[in-house]
Amino acid sequence: MKSDKKRAPHRFAGQQEGAELAQWLNGKEPPRIGADQNERRAEDRTRRRISQLIQDLNASAETFIREGKPDTSLDERIDRQLSRYTLKVKTIHVQDEGEYKTFAEPKWLFGWYSNAGVRAAEMIFRIVRLGERGLLGRIRNCTRCDEWFYAKFNH
């Protein structure tokens, strides 16, 4: 017997973070309300720098896999790029996740900040999380249209 229920689409590991990062890299977000021309230019510069950082991180990983050793000059460049974005964390608020439980389970929400702006800090943090999970290589440029995307599969 066939069920009429529609299933929720499958979510792949890192898909949400990766898709949001790709959207930001592509400049698909509307400009922040009240942002002037200089702020938009600064955001575009940051976007280009972070795009280059991802390309360098992925190139470094490919070199390591191919040669079995890191490319020290590329790794030094990556470290210089990352040093631009000193991340700071700030508590936003706590919320109770234990609504149906016998004891409280508070969940903390944190915000990430950087001298390059809140969105840049969020994107750097996404890069770090994807990299730690081995999923950063799935953030790629399309060879035809040059848009960023998150590849659901390794291949």
Side-chain angles (χ1 to χ4, degrees):
M1 180 180 235
K2 195 174 182 181
S3 174
D4 290 337
K5 289 184 182 180
K6 289 188 179 186
R7 283 193 226 175
H10 180 74
R11 301 293 279 179
F12 294 86
Q15 182 178 356
Q16 182 174 351
E17 286 179 324
E20 289 174 15
L21 176 58
Q23 181 179 8
W24 181 80
L25 289 168
N26 290 325
K28 300 286 184 176
E29 297 178 339
R32 189 177 51 80
I33 296 173
D36 64 9
Q37 191 70 19
N38 289 336
E39 289 173 320
R40 286 190 210 122
R41 272 192 233 124
E43 177 94 3
D44 288 341
R45 255 191 326 271
T46 300
R47 191 177 288 113
R48 284 191 302 273
R49 287 178 179 151
I50 291 176
S51 295
Q52 184 61 54
L53 172 63
I54 292 171
Q55 290 170 344
D56 289 348
L57 284 162
N58 287 336
S60 177
E62 289 171 17
T63 300
F64 183 79
I65 289 167
R66 190 176 53 252
E67 298 176 10
K69 61 181 182 178
D71 179 341
T72 54
S73 63
L74 186 54
D75 288 349
E76 288 171 6
R77 187 166 91 189
I78 289 167
D79 288 340
R80 280 193 310 274
Q81 290 171 329
L82 283 170
S83 69
R84 288 180 178 267
Y85 307 102
T86 304
L87 296 180
K88 300 172 188 163
V89 66
K90 181 179 177 182
T91 57
I92 296 175
H93 64 83
V94 65
Q95 62 188 35
D96 182 16
E97 291 291 311
E99 186 177 338
Y100 300 106
K101 302 193 178 189
T102 57
F103 56 93
E105 289 186 4
K107 176 181 174 182
W108 283 92
L109 298 178
F110 297 98
W112 291 92
Y113 301 90
S114 169
N115 53 345
V118 174
R119 289 300 283 161
E122 289 173 12
M123 296 307 136
I124 292 293
F125 194 66
R126 287 176 198 277
I127 291 168
V128 169
R129 285 193 301 231
L130 289 167
E132 288 176 336
R133 295 170 66 192
L135 300 171
L136 187 58
R138 293 185 182 195
I139 299 290
R140 303 177 186 159
N141 269 107
C142 176
T143 55
R144 283 184 258 157
C145 68
D146 207 36
E147 291 262 325
W148 287 92
F149 67 97
Y150 181 79
K152 294 178 184 176
F153 301 98
N154 226 4
H155 56 280

